[in-house]
Amino acid sequence: MPKTPLKPPGAMPATDQMNRVLGLPSLVLFGMVYMVPLTIFSTYGIVTELTGGRLPLAYLITMVAMIFTARSYGQMSKAFPIGGSAYAYTQRSFGPNIGFMAGWALLLDYLFLPMINYLLLGIYLHEFFPAVPPWAFMLAGMVVVTALNIVGIVSVARTNIVIIGFQFLFIILFVAFSVAYLKDQVTVDFWAPFRGNGEPGGFAPLAAGAAILCLSFLGFDSITTFAEEARNPKRDMPRAILLTTLICGLMFVGLAYLSHLVYPSHDFENADSASIQVIFAAGGDFLTIFFTAGFICGALGSALISQASVARILYSMGRDGVLPRAVFGYLHPRFKTPTFVILIVSLISLTSLFASLEMVSAMISFGALVAFSAVNLAVIKYYFLAHRLRGLAATLNYLVLPSIGLCLTIWLWTSLSPLSLQIGLAWIVLGFAYLGYVTGGFKRKAPMMDLSE
């Protein structure tokens, strides 16, 4: 065991550091804001049908797997209290080539995030305006989001906080209406949400559903981006990541459980918009309109942020020479935004017109699970192998627990649909081929992708 504590390389001088003002409660709040509260309604019908009415149990399985991975994120945030999340941890632990592949896998996640928001926008607006096809709403959303991203965004953070507050208000109303509805029922089967009420049965459908639900936990790792503003990052970052994962996970399980009690059936008119049937059963037209308004605003705001984020990442890659600089490193002279990149992301998002919500959800989970696996491996490599921390506690913390997290994420990863695995693996192969090209046949190190700016 080394005599000196582990320190992140390249520590910044005190004059260049941000103000360390964030405590544990603030970090947890930021994490909960990123893990959108109403995300459970995005895939409610799909996973409920897939699991035979056992959505709460599928969420419980996913939460257990995510707790182990969240713990690994916390361990790496202690070693590297910097931004960059999974990419930074993998690059620092395994070197630039493997780090590049981790970043490449994450790109698939980032590219699909805007698409799921456009799909949800089309699905839910079409429910209220059935004469207008979903693709029309999707195209309109893409145009608005692309234009705003090109011109530039003002006060996005404040807008998002308002949207999140609106969603928390809906959750309070939904719980109140649901409890009132259940009180009027003669009999309520409180075990049905875990037992299920029909086919498909067995554990395989639960695993498939749990794998898709990983997208609900995207965001707990966002806490790591505040590492340089935390008062005590080595103590508070791991706690905040675990607390956020546990609190949001229990909230997802609770909302799914309550929804199944209110609407026990898993036969829906349209699985993509099944949550509307559940909410109508709980609170009628008032609650349905309230939910739809908040959900649409949330989808539009999330599309705006996710497109801006992936454009920023691709721009960083172009500026750093990972991708062609003339296209990906270009800034508009007037708006100072990466115009070409934003347009490229919009063109990629057009494929959502021909994709299903289930496939896009699974692809986002594919990218997330690759990142989660990489972070679990990074803990083992950095602490147990590179720094040779031994003893019972060290072996448990840096080998056993991250190994359990790794096995669970791989299990969920292999539980995705065959099409999702084929597309995801094709993306990985493409990234490996591109890595070979930019490194001259792997004769030199990969360019550094700066995802932390």
Side-chain angles (χ1 to χ4, degrees):
M1 182 180 296
K3 295 181 180 179
T4 56
L6 304 181
K7 295 181 180 180
M12 295 184 297
T15 54
D16 295 332
Q17 291 180 354
M18 299 179 180
N19 291 329
R20 294 193 176 275
V21 296
L22 299 179
L24 181 60
S26 298
L27 292 169
V28 172
L29 180 61
F30 275 120
M32 292 181 67
V33 167
Y34 273 88
M35 291 177 70
V36 182
L38 295 190
T39 190
I40 83 145
F41 294 111
S42 301
T43 55
Y44 180 91
I46 293 170
V47 180
T48 297
E49 285 189 346
L50 184 61
T51 59
R54 295 176 291 172
L55 177 64
L57 186 55
Y59 258 117
L60 198 59
I61 293 170
T62 308
M63 183 184 72
V64 171
M66 291 302 101
I67 285 174
F68 284 96
T69 296
R71 194 179 184 284
S72 290
Y73 269 90
Q75 296 290 357
M76 294 310 295
S77 72
K78 288 193 293 185
F80 304 106
I82 56 176
S85 191
Y87 163 72
Y89 302 152
T90 307
Q91 188 272 325
R92 295 293 178 91
S93 300
F94 291 97
N97 283 1
I98 296 180
F100 175 92
M101 290 305 301
W104 183 269
L106 278 172
L107 269 181
L108 185 64
D109 197 359
Y110 291 127
L111 286 170
F112 273 82
L113 275 172
M115 293 170 60
I116 195 171
N117 290 295
Y118 295 132
L119 276 166
L120 292 169
L121 197 67
I123 288 167
Y124 281 90
L125 281 174
H126 176 67
E127 287 290 320
F128 275 81
F129 305 99
V132 182
W135 61 263
F137 292 117
M138 293 167 67
L139 279 177
M142 290 179 201
V143 170
V144 170
V145 168
T146 301
L148 287 173
N149 269 312
I150 289 175
V151 173
I153 309 168
V154 180
S155 301
V156 169
R158 293 178 183 176
T159 303
N160 269 355
I161 289 174
V162 171
I163 292 172
I164 293 296
F166 191 87
Q167 293 188 25
F168 273 116
L169 177 59
F170 166 79
I171 288 173
I172 294 171
L173 289 173
F174 176 70
V175 171
F177 274 94
S178 296
V179 171
Y181 171 83
L182 292 172
K183 282 183 177 179
D184 294 333
Q185 303 306 303
V186 177
T187 59
V188 178
D189 186 351
F190 290 101
W191 286 106
F194 295 103
R195 186 180 62 249
N197 50 9
E199 296 295 332
F203 197 72
L206 271 176
I212 293 175
L213 293 178
C214 287
L215 72 87
S216 297
F217 288 83
L218 290 176
F220 72 79
D221 60 325
S222 65
I223 297 172
T224 62
T225 63
F226 298 100
E228 294 171 31
E229 296 165 271
R231 282 197 293 264
N232 191 339
K234 291 192 175 184
R235 182 196 66 187
D236 290 343
M237 298 296 289
R239 293 180 180 180
I241 293 169
L242 270 174
L243 280 172
T244 301
T245 305
L246 184 60
I247 292 170
C248 289
L250 290 174
M251 181 174 65
F252 296 152
V253 173
L255 286 173
Y257 178 77
L258 196 58
S259 298
H260 275 260
L261 290 180
V262 170
Y263 195 88
S265 173
H266 67 282
D267 294 322
F268 306 110
E269 295 175 10
N270 181 357
D272 289 346
S273 58
S275 54
I276 288 182
Q277 290 179 249
V278 178
I279 291 159
F280 182 81
D285 288 330
F286 166 75
L287 197 63
T288 304
I289 294 171
F290 192 92
F291 163 77
T292 305
F295 200 82
I296 289 170
C297 289
L300 199 59
S302 182
L304 189 67
I305 295 300
S306 56
Q307 189 189 62
S309 299
V310 70
R312 187 164 166 262
I313 291 167
L314 291 171
Y315 168 71
S316 295
M317 294 172 68
R319 184 194 57 200
D320 297 340
V322 180
L323 294 174
R325 186 175 284 108
V327 175
F328 290 89
Y330 172 82
L331 278 182
H332 191 281
R334 177 183 173 187
F335 299 123
K336 301 300 181 184
T337 52
T339 311
F340 293 160
V341 176
I342 292 170
L343 292 174
I344 289 171
V345 174
S346 296
L347 288 174
I348 294 172
S349 294
L350 284 174
T351 59
S352 62
L353 297 173
F354 315 102
S356 68
L357 182 61
E358 182 177 0
M359 191 199 78
V360 174
S361 301
M363 292 313 306
I364 294 173
S365 292
F366 179 97
L369 287 167
V370 171
F372 296 160
S373 298
V375 173
N376 282 308
L377 277 172
V379 173
I380 299 171
K381 173 65 168 62
Y382 182 79
Y383 286 102
F384 193 77
L385 298 179
H387 286 84
R388 301 185 63 81
L389 298 184
R390 296 294 187 266
L392 181 60
T395 302
L396 179 66
N397 287 325
Y398 307 130
L399 178 63
V400 176
L401 294 179
S403 294
I404 294 173
L406 175 64
C407 291
L408 288 172
T409 51
I410 291 176
W411 167 62
L412 290 175
W413 183 70
T414 55
S415 298
L416 291 169
S417 68
L419 180 60
S420 303
L421 290 174
Q422 290 167 11
I423 296 174
L425 291 174
W427 177 260
I428 297 296
V429 170
L430 180 63
F432 189 76
Y434 185 73
L435 176 62
Y437 169 74
V438 298
T439 58
F442 304 99
K443 294 178 182 177
R444 55 181 179 269
K445 293 181 179 180
M448 298 294 290
M449 292 163 42
D450 189 357
L451 305 186
S452 61
E453 294 188 1

